[in-house]
Amino acid sequence: MQLGWEWARDLVHYPNGIVIFVENFNQPKMERKVRVRFAPSPTGPLHMGGVRTALFNYLFAKKHGGDFLLRIEDTDQNRFVPGAEAYIIEALTWCGLVPDEGVGFGGEMGPYRQSERKPMYKKYADALIENGFAYYSFDTAEELDELRKQAEADKQVFSYDLHTRKGLKNSLTLSKEEVEAHLQGGEHYVIRFKMPENREIVEEDLIRGRVSFNTNQLDDKVLFKSDGMPTYHLANVVDDHLMEITHVIRGEEWLPSMPLHILLYEALGISENRPRFSHLPLILKPEGKGKLSKRDGDKMGFPVFPLLWKDPETGDISRGYREDGYFPEAFINMLALLGWNPGTEQEFFCMNELVESFDLTRVVKSGARFDPEKAKWFNRHYLQQKSSEELTQLFLPLLKEKGVTADLQKLERIVGSIKERCEFVKDLWDQGHFFFQAPDSYDEKTVRTKWKADTSEKLQAITAFFETISDWKATPIKDAFSEFMTQKEWGFGAVMVPVRLALVGSSSGPDLFEIFELIGKEETIERIRKACEVIQ
Ligand code: GLU
């Protein structure tokens, strides 16, 4: 049989009579078109870990000339959050991870929203029952709760599994007539997977290598409910099959579901072309143990979501990378290196370079520690890459907010003179507000240490000298000023710091002669005079 895959499965016979399928562990030969999916549930804003999952799927697809799909897994209507789906689509679009198919993007294999696929799943659930791989369970929520409580009292954990199912109310223990009566009576039921006894499920995860599970440790998961909705497990497997997904790349938290999914493919008779699995490492807190959470962000002052999110119920706002002023290319570059490395020293990657270099086998197994400072560092890099023209355009809305209007060419020069001090567009204001507004206060420490008894007198002389300069451009001012200083035999430092203080309000900032030119002769003289008055 031609599978089209170099890694076709082999049968392995165990001494105890168990036979399992095992992959032969070569890389897949890309004969089938690579198709991967990002399959979030619309239960809230997308965590940056989710964006990284989408990114790795996207990179893998593009690297292999494949398709990247967006499937919305909304089978759990209780957890549905309005606005979450639109948020996911907007976030992916902002990041440049535009799906080839999916909710909001069209495609031949839709619908891509699971709630709209509802009628498709029943026949798979029925087939599982018919072939003995699943069963009806009629236990009520209250009954199961009671069992949970009892188990807790005995310091045990209740699990609906191959040990307990024999004593519970299900189609394995009830007679055919009783089952029929329950179903006819329209009683609440769920369909559960009948986890086989003592099987070893072995899989070669493309990131983790060989992982194995014994089915005795696994419970009988619910696959389908009497409201006609499948659960995540059934819908996910059926859809990956119908959408011809070749590789499942998802977070580590889904690893425990993998044996069930593998068994479902097998039970449904659709194992042959089933996807290969890869489970991405967790993103860890900047400090301490555990997974990066929204609380870490709130505590340490960084976003964990790509875009700002307003909780529709509580109205609570969570900050987003976009609104905090990160460039999408910086956010993506930072995320790409959370758990993946190119094997070289290279740190800056545009999307095309990421596609080129990406390799699932270079994704690490252990958790990847998030460093908020590194995120800023990437932003600084991408800001420096932008031309002053482009940055000025990005700066204009903020200037408008501040009520500042200025000639575009002049703005571009201002931006050019301060951009190297900036990480974010908003820093352009912090670093350059004095180009537009005279300082309303002067840094006290600088005043104390640098404003001497004779400073005002010297500055008065300088303003008088400035009056005589006609070519008010940085270079001629600098030349004339140097000559003036040499004549006076004044130390540069003793004069320049107070002048800067007068113009800027503090002792730091860009080149002073640039500032002279850009704010103009009159304003320069005016500010120096005012400082002399105020500070004296
Ligand atoms: N709906 C799951 C989630 O919310 C998808 C897991 C998977 O990719 O299989 O992450």
Side-chain angles (χ1 to χ4, degrees), residues 272-453:
E272 199 170 277
N273 280 333
R274 75 158 167 83
R276 299 218 59 187
F277 290 96
S278 317
H279 291 89
L280 303 174
L282 289 179
I283 298 184
L284 304 175
K285 297 174 186 301
E287 286 158 16
K289 280 193 197 141
K291 201 170 138 179
L292 177 71
S293 73
K294 178 176 159 334
R295 249 171 300 131
D296 299 311
D298 294 342
K299 213 165 57 196
M300 295 175 65
F302 60 82
V304 296
F305 300 119
L307 317 178
L308 181 135
W309 168 256
K310 185 168 177 212
D311 189 299
E313 225 167 83
T314 61
D316 286 353
I317 303 268
S318 302
R319 55 207 285 183
Y321 279 87
R322 182 178 65 182
E323 290 72 13
D324 271 19
Y326 286 83
F327 298 116
E329 54 271 38
F331 179 54
I332 287 296
N333 197 154
M334 178 274 289
L335 278 183
L337 294 172
L338 270 182
W340 170 80
N341 70 75
T344 64
E345 294 293 302
Q346 187 177 349
E347 289 202 270
F348 300 116
F349 291 86
C350 67
M351 194 66 99
N352 286 341
E353 290 171 314
L354 283 174
V355 168
E356 187 115 317
S357 323
F358 189 72
D359 180 354
L360 261 188
T361 62
R362 296 207 68 91
V363 175
V364 299
K365 292 186 216 127
S366 54
R369 195 171 289 287
F370 170 65
D371 175 1
E373 289 309 313
K374 193 89 193 219
K376 289 187 195 156
W377 181 78
F378 275 113
N379 214 61
R380 153 179 284 282
H381 169 79
Y382 285 98
L383 186 140
Q384 302 309 323
Q385 299 294 96
K386 294 197 190 296
S387 67
S388 300
E389 288 80 358
E390 193 181 351
L391 279 176
T392 302
Q393 290 305 319
L394 298 172
F395 189 27
L396 285 177
L398 185 56
L399 287 173
K400 196 168 167 212
E401 222 175 86
K402 303 281 184 190
V404 169
T405 46
D407 167 70
L408 207 56
Q409 253 185 332
K410 187 170 151 189
L411 279 177
E412 283 167 9
R413 276 197 56 196
I414 292 176
V415 165
S417 74
I418 51 177
K419 77 180 213 194
E420 70 177 34
R421 301 167 171 271
C422 301
E423 277 175 343
F424 297 96
V425 169
K426 62 176 188 284
D427 298 344
L428 289 168
W429 178 258
D430 302 333
Q431 294 295 334
H433 56 89
F434 51 83
F435 282 110
F436 315 105
Q437 295 169 344
D440 49 15
S441 64
Y442 303 98
D443 178 60
E444 271 179 39
K445 189 172 166 227
T446 316
V447 172
R448 229 182 311 116
T449 54
K450 305 285 179 193
W451 200 282
K452 307 286 182 212

Side-chain angles (χ1 to χ4, degrees), residues 126-179:
D126 289 344
L128 289 172
I129 297 243
E130 224 162 88
N131 298 316
F133 293 111
Y135 60 91
Y136 292 106
S137 127
F138 301 105
D139 318 86
T140 64
E142 294 75 32
E143 286 164 349
L144 292 177
D145 255 357
E146 192 48 43
L147 289 167
R148 263 180 221 118
K149 273 190 208 136
Q150 266 175 30
E152 231 169 83
D154 300 338
K155 301 226 172 341
Q156 307 271 324
V157 179
F158 171 74
S159 155
Y160 208 122
D161 59 19
L162 58 104
H163 309 290
T164 56
R165 68 183 167 222
K166 297 182 192 107
L168 293 161
K169 213 172 16 166
N170 55 50
S171 55
L172 303 172
T173 56
L174 301 174
S175 70
K176 220 170 161 201
E177 293 70 33
E178 284 171 311
V179 170

Side-chain angles (χ1 to χ4, degrees), residues 37-43 53 71-73 114 232 236 240 248-251 253-254 261:
R37 81 306 189 273
F38 177 50
S41 299
T43 54
T53 301
R71 184 172 71 223
I72 297 290
E73 301 209 324
Q114 285 183 329
Y232 156 71
N236 185 273
D240 281 350
V248 166
I249 304 169
R250 60 186 175 191
E253 65 274 28
W254 301 101
H261 294 182

Side-chain angles (χ1 to χ4, degrees), residues 94-266:
W94 179 67
C95 292
L97 305 175
V98 178
D100 300 294
E101 296 170 30
V103 175
F105 299 94
E108 301 281 298
M109 295 197 188
Y112 295 92
R113 199 181 276 119
Q114 285 183 329
S115 56
E116 288 171 22
R117 303 171 66 81
K118 188 173 166 183
M120 294 188 199
Y121 304 109
K122 173 109 187 4
K123 71 171 193 214
Y124 292 93
D126 289 344
L128 289 172
I129 297 243
E130 224 162 88
N131 298 316
F133 293 111
Y135 60 91
Y136 292 106
S137 127
F138 301 105
D139 318 86
T140 64
E142 294 75 32
E143 286 164 349
L144 292 177
D145 255 357
E146 192 48 43
L147 289 167
R148 263 180 221 118
K149 273 190 208 136
Q150 266 175 30
E152 231 169 83
D154 300 338
K155 301 226 172 341
Q156 307 271 324
V157 179
F158 171 74
S159 155
Y160 208 122
D161 59 19
L162 58 104
H163 309 290
T164 56
R165 68 183 167 222
K166 297 182 192 107
L168 293 161
K169 213 172 16 166
N170 55 50
S171 55
L172 303 172
T173 56
L174 301 174
S175 70
K176 220 170 161 201
E177 293 70 33
E178 284 171 311
V179 170
E180 222 22 66
H182 275 299
L183 291 176
Q184 294 302 325
E187 255 177 69
H188 157 89
Y189 71 83
V190 295
I191 295 178
R192 287 181 184 272
F193 188 68
K194 188 177 166 199
M195 194 49 78
E197 212 169 324
N198 202 28
R199 271 192 55 182
E200 207 66 31
I201 307 296
V202 183
E203 177 76 2
E204 186 75 3
D205 184 292
L206 290 173
I207 294 170
R208 267 143 225 281
R210 179 182 287 241
V211 274
S212 74
F213 297 83
N214 186 293
T215 55
N216 286 1
Q217 315 294 325
L218 306 174
D219 62 343
D220 291 355
K221 285 268 184 287
V222 175
L223 301 176
F224 197 84
K225 299 192 197 144
S226 46
D227 64 1
M229 242 343 169
T231 61
Y232 156 71
H233 300 291
L234 182 66
N236 185 273
V237 162
V238 166
D239 286 347
D240 281 350
H241 168 66
L242 294 177
M243 294 179 183
E244 297 176 9
I245 298 302
T246 56
H247 296 79
V248 166
I249 304 169
R250 60 186 175 191
E252 181 179 292
E253 65 274 28
W254 301 101
L255 187 59
S257 300
M258 185 175 69
L260 170 63
H261 294 182
I262 291 175
L263 286 166
L264 276 171
Y265 283 110
E266 205 184 288

